[in-house]
Each structure stands twice: as structure tokens, then as C-alpha cells.
Amino acid sequence: MVGVTGRSKTCKTCKRRRIACSLERPSCNTCVKSSRVCEGYQDAPIFILDKHSKTTPPSEQNQSPKPPKSSKEPTTPTPTRDASTNTEVTRLEGTICTKEAYKSLWHLSSPHTRAVYREQILSEFLTNYPQTPSEPQAGSWLALLPTHPTYTAALEASILAVCTAKLGRTHNDESLVKESLKFYVQGLWELQRALWDDKLMYRDETVAACMCLIVYEVAECPDRSIKGWVGHLNGCSRLFQLRGPKSYKSEMAHRLFLTFRQIEIQQAIAERRSTFLSQPEWLSHPWKGHQKHISQQLLDLMAETASLIEFAYQTVGNPELQARPDILLTTILGIVGQSWKLDVKLRAFYRRLEKTTAGPLFWSKLSTKPVDIDESQESANIFPVAYQFPTMTVAHSCMVFWATTSILWSGQKALYDLLAAYKAQLDMLTPPGNGPPNLGFDLSELPSLENRVDVSVLAKNICQSVEFCMNAGPMTPTSAVFPLKVAIETLCADPTCAKELVWAEEIMERIRTGTGVRIIGHLGGKLTDRAFIPG
């Protein structure tokens, strides 16, 4: 632990009496003249996180004191091995004293003190929770923070909120969790000030602070509602858009953009709206000077899917078009044609992914049941075989591909059913003896859906991939949330997949409790409610 003294120059006695101190040392004249004991000037230290701290075992607390060690022999923490990751993790129980830590951080005049606290707790956070890169060339923007040259007040408060919350949950330290909420509130105020400052508004640090607040909402969800997360995402989206597509040349800015891009496109699909990220300039300019990984090409197709979904819902829900069935059917036919073109693009992406991967994309292996599911439950042995992947990047790409394809195929099936229903309605309205209405097309001439009718196959592929994510690291299961949510919605629509649905819901609950994605429990509805699958 590192002791950080306060900034008051008054002796303790005069400070307690609330009178002026003459500041003489070792005893001030004010106390001497009043025949009082001058208690000195040294404030009680405020302890902050230090990786060289070591907990004194309870068995040694009552033993006689040992001679002090030489200052040349630094004490080191006792590492323990994490069975899930096979890595050594420093035990922190009892080494963090957070009393008045928040107050000290924001009231101490020395910026060096704040930097020491920030660097130590950020280092401990990244050590316990290494960030798995979504792309081999990029990695997580959080990993760049320890070496980032400048910190604004908004970024400092926001990143401390994320780190203290996660470490507090890990070590069952409620005081740290409470401190994280104070940092979060401070981060909100500082971010608001930065957005009103022309010099700070468009800086990378302001964008990073906004992303940190999104991460905090996902992990802690302090309002027990998704509204805070949606509000932060909308504000962050507006900030990215105002900065323009050419503002992401630096490594930090580019990684921030990649992280935001994935979240924004997935949310656009859930809200059935298009996104500015589907515009041509946003598909090319942010990668000037950076290689566009194949996983980003999949996000391009997802952005196109979001635009198609928005157009489809606007068409079907348009009352003017509903009054003109002939025009409505023609418009729906155009949407069907676009969906088939998108299907071709997705299959082409999958072939490119196979070519860029050494060996097979995935293979089967007997499940080792990485999650704690009761053997007596019927859902325990639903998937005896799990999929293995060469890397987590490939696993995530495959799972997102299956999820996107599930959304597209479900939409195609819904459009085909809608066309059939409208045709049947026109047949009923046609007077007897006039023959069938001339629609300008024949439903039998449309391409057959074939295996696309059974979307549950893709959902099962996603479920069989979850075990690999669970074993890949402490934070990697969070990458399975989006595809697993799509799988749950898909399985819910198939009455024959009731057991698989129960299994998937149990896994999602374990991701919520095991990795701290508390926002899953506050989505405002059931996991089976349709957010991604059309319906």
C-alpha cells in the first residue's frame, strides 16, 4: 500500500479547535502558549491499491513482531492460480482501504497522486481481466490506457468507475463498488462539462470517457434499467457522427471506433432502424492507414441488414400502402429481392472467412460442461458435443455470422408468409368467375427457401459454441451475449426446441452472474421477447 498524505498545513490540535496555526515545528507556538499538546502535522495516510501489497495471514496477526526487513527486500504479493484461465492472479483481500479514497482523489492538489492511484488500479484491472482482442491487429482500446499520454477529468473518473466496480465485485468488496458509483457520478458531471467545452468535445479522451460510461452501465446497471445504457449509446453515437469519418487515424481513436461500431450496429438491428455507419464514407474513411479485418466486413453486412429491416417495417406498417395492395405487394417483392442479394453476400463472406483461416473454422469435441448446470436437469445433456475454434476471433466471427443469418432467414420467411397472406386476401375479394387477380408475379416463381425455413439449426450452432467462449478467458463470455440472445429468440419460435431454449436461458443467466453483465437482468422484458428476430 502507498500512503498519500493530505494537503492541510495546520497542526491537528489547531485544526480540531478551528483556529489559526502559527505553523512552527515540531510544536506550534499557538499550542505552547495555550498549554496544549501539539499533535503534529502528519495526517493519517489514505491507502490506495498497490500491486506490491501483501495481506498478513490471520495466523500471523497474534505472533510476536519480527525484526523489520531491509528496504532492499521488497515484499511481493502472494499469487494464486485461477483454474479457469490457468494464470496467476494476485489476491487483494484486505489490501485495499477505500475510506475517503474518492474524496482524497478529487481534493488533493497534486495531480501526481491521482495519476498514481489511476495507474495502479487500472493495471490491476487489466491484469485480472485481460482484454481479448476482437481483431489480431487491433485489440482492446482499454489496453492502451496505461500508456496514454494525457487524461482529462472525465476520462479519469470514468475509467476509475469501471475498474473499481469490477475489482470490487471480484473481491466482494462493497466499499469499492460504492466508490465506483461515486466515480461514475463524477464522470457524468465531467463529461457534461467536456461536451460544453469546444477544446475538449472532440478529443479522443472525451469519446473514451463516454465509452467507459457505457461499459459501466453494462456491468453495474445502477438504475436497474436499460435506459441509462441507451442514453449513453445515443449520445456516444451523436459524438462519433459529429467527429466525422476521418477522425479515427490514431490508434486509440481507431480502436474506440471499432468497439462502438459493433455496439451501434447491433442496437440498430434491435431498434429496427438504419445507422449512419452504413453510409459509404463510414465504410472506408475510418480505415485509412489501418487494415480492415474480415470481421469488420461482416459488420458491413450487418449494417446493410439494419437498413433493410427498417425499410421492411416501414413498408408493412405504412397505412397508405395497406390501402393499395398492388403497390404494397410490389414493394415487398423488392424487399425480398434485396434479402436474397444480402444472403449471397453473407455466403460469400463465409467462404472468405474459410480461406483466411488456417485449417477448419471449427470442429466438434465432447462437451466438458464448463458451466455449472445441475446434472439432474433435463437441459444438462442437450448439447453433448461442443464446437472448438482455432482462435476466439474466429469463434466470435462464426457466432455473429450465424446470428446475422438467423435474422435474415427469419425475415425472409416472414416476408414469404406475408405475400401468401395478401394473395389469399385478394383471392377472397375477387368476384366469382373473374379469375385470379393479376399481381404481375406468381408466388411459385419466387426462389425456394429450402433449408432457410429451419432457422433453429443456426441457433443450435451458436449454443454449441458457447463452451469455447466460457473457457477462453474471464471476459470472453460477454462476446456471446448478442448471438446467444438471437439464438434464444429463434429457439422460442420453434415449439420443438423447448429443452434447447431452457439450456440457452440458463447459460445466459450464468453469463450475467459470472462475468458481471448485470444489464441482462434489466432488459425490461423476458429473454424470449423478440428484439432481433423479425416478428
Side-chain angles (χ1 to χ4, degrees):
M1 291 181 290
V2 178
V4 181
T5 58
R7 64 178 180 180
S8 176
K9 297 180 179 180
T10 304
C11 76
K12 293 182 180 180
T13 305
C14 294
K15 184 177 181 180
R16 185 169 58 253
R17 296 176 62 198
R18 297 182 180 180
I19 63 174
C21 180
S22 57
L23 303 179
E24 289 84 5
R25 294 175 182 269
S27 299
C28 71
N29 289 335
T30 305
C31 293
V32 173
K33 291 179 180 179
S34 60
S35 300
R36 286 179 171 84
V37 178
C38 184
E39 297 179 6
Y41 300 86
Q42 184 64 38
D43 284 342
I46 299 169
F47 296 104
I48 58 178
L49 181 64
D50 182 27
K51 63 182 179 180
H52 296 296
S53 302
K54 183 176 181 180
T55 305
T56 302
S59 59
E60 298 180 6
Q61 291 180 356
N62 297 327
Q63 295 180 5
S64 59
K66 297 180 180 180
K69 294 184 179 181
S70 170
S71 59
K72 297 181 181 181
E73 300 178 3
T75 58
T76 57
T78 303
T80 58
R81 185 164 296 277
D82 188 347
S84 61
T85 60
N86 198 29
T87 57
E88 289 187 351
V89 180
T90 303
R91 297 184 63 85
L92 298 175
E93 291 84 345
T95 66
I96 307 174
C97 178
T98 57
K99 185 178 180 181
E100 301 292 334
Y102 168 78
K103 181 178 179 181
S104 69
L105 184 63
W106 293 105
H107 288 79
L108 282 174
S109 58
S110 172
H112 174 71
T113 301
R114 296 193 297 269
V116 168
Y117 184 94
R118 181 192 69 230
E119 291 173 5
Q120 290 177 341
I121 201 167
L122 179 59
S123 175
E124 192 64 33
F125 170 79
L126 293 176
T127 300
N128 284 272
Y129 303 98
Q131 304 299 301
T132 302
S134 58
E135 302 176 10
Q137 295 86 355
S140 170
W141 61 273
L142 287 169
L144 294 178
L145 289 178
T147 57
H148 193 65
T150 57
Y151 274 77
T152 60
L155 177 57
E156 186 174 58
S158 302
I159 192 59
L160 284 172
V162 173
C163 294
T164 52
K166 191 62 180 178
L167 292 175
R169 296 291 183 184
T170 302
H171 303 293
N172 297 319
D173 189 343
E174 286 299 325
S175 60
L176 267 183
V177 177
K178 291 179 180 179
E179 292 301 314
S180 74
L181 185 58
K182 296 177 182 178
F183 285 127
Y184 174 74
V185 174
Q186 182 71 28
L188 289 174
W189 281 102
E190 295 295 346
L191 180 60
Q192 185 65 44
R193 292 174 58 186
L195 292 175
W196 283 98
D197 190 332
D198 293 338
K199 296 181 180 179
L200 296 177
M201 180 177 180
Y202 297 110
R203 286 183 57 172
D204 293 346
E205 291 81 6
T206 302
V207 177
C210 195
M211 292 294 292
C212 282
L213 296 180
I214 291 177
V215 174
Y216 187 86
E217 283 286 346
V218 171
E220 292 298 311
C221 198
D223 289 337
R224 304 296 183 265
S225 169
I226 199 175
K227 293 181 180 179
W229 179 83
V230 173
H232 287 316
L233 180 59
N234 291 339
C236 200
S237 176
R238 184 59 178 161
L239 183 57
F240 272 92
Q241 192 172 7
L242 289 174
R243 282 166 57 102
K246 298 181 180 180
S247 302
Y248 307 100
K249 296 180 180 180
S250 69
E251 190 65 24
M252 172 64 80
H254 186 68
R255 293 194 190 186
L256 283 166
F257 173 76
L258 296 183
T259 304
F260 162 77
R261 188 171 188 253
Q262 178 176 321
I263 302 172
E264 162 65 14
I265 292 175
Q266 291 175 0
Q267 186 63 12
I269 295 176
E271 296 178 354
R272 297 166 184 173
R273 60 170 174 82
S274 59
T275 171
F276 68 92
L277 295 176
S278 63
Q279 299 171 4
E281 60 269 21
W282 286 95
L283 299 176
S284 57
H285 288 307
W287 284 271
K288 296 294 183 181
H290 299 274
Q291 181 181 358
K292 192 169 188 177
H293 191 258
I294 190 171
S295 62
Q296 293 298 320
Q297 299 174 24
L298 178 57
L299 284 176
D300 292 346
L301 299 178
M302 290 179 65
E304 185 176 344
T305 303
S307 300
L308 184 60
I309 291 174
E310 180 190 48
F311 182 50
Y313 273 95
Q314 289 179 349
T315 300
V316 175
N318 191 332
E320 296 181 0
L321 289 178
Q322 290 178 355
R324 297 289 305 274
D326 52 339
I327 300 178
L328 178 60
L329 289 175
T330 303
T331 307
I332 294 177
L333 278 176
I335 297 174
V336 170
Q338 294 181 50
S339 70
W340 280 106
K341 292 179 181 179
L342 186 56
D343 183 74
V344 171
K345 294 179 181 179
L346 282 170
R347 285 186 282 127
F349 163 80
Y350 191 78
R351 290 193 295 269
R352 290 197 303 273
L353 183 62
E354 288 181 316
K355 291 181 180 179
T356 57
T357 304
L361 286 179
F362 61 94
W363 58 94
S364 300
K365 182 180 178 181
L366 290 177
S367 175
T368 57
K369 295 182 177 59
V371 291
D372 184 19
I373 295 181
D374 189 354
E375 294 290 342
S376 62
Q377 297 181 7
E378 294 183 1
S379 60
N381 298 314
I382 292 298
F383 297 107
V385 173
Y387 290 156
Q388 301 296 308
F389 301 85
T391 64
M392 186 59 209
T393 302
V394 175
H396 185 257
S397 297
C398 287
M399 295 175 72
V400 173
F401 167 78
W402 289 325
T404 307
T405 306
S406 297
I407 296 171
L408 179 63
W409 287 6
S410 298
Q412 285 182 316
K413 185 177 183 301
L415 290 173
Y416 272 55
D417 293 342
L418 192 61
L419 286 172
Y422 275 121
K423 184 179 182 302
Q425 184 179 5
L426 288 176
D427 290 341
M428 293 177 59
L429 297 176
T430 302
N434 289 356
N438 183 15
L439 302 177
F441 73 95
D442 188 352
L443 288 178
S444 61
E445 297 179 357
L446 292 176
S448 175
L449 292 177
E450 298 177 345
N451 62 325
R452 293 168 181 81
V453 177
D454 187 12
V455 190
S456 63
V457 174
L458 299 173
K460 293 175 183 178
N461 287 346
I462 294 173
C463 292
Q464 290 178 274
S465 307
V466 172
E467 179 176 314
F468 181 83
C469 298
M470 291 290 193
N471 292 331
M475 298 297 288
T476 50
T478 59
S479 63
V481 171
F482 163 69
L484 190 57
K485 178 66 168 68
V486 174
I488 289 174
E489 295 178 20
T490 304
L491 295 172
C492 181
D494 190 340
T496 65
C497 297
K499 293 182 179 179
E500 289 84 352
L501 175 61
V502 173
W503 185 93
E505 289 179 316
E506 290 175 353
I507 294 298
M508 185 70 89
E509 175 62 19
R510 278 155 179 77
I511 292 177
R512 183 187 73 84
T513 57
T515 61
V517 188
R518 287 171 180 77
I519 198 173
I520 295 177
H522 305 285
L523 297 178
K526 299 179 180 179
L527 287 175
T528 53
D529 292 344
R530 293 195 175 189
F532 298 103
I533 297 297

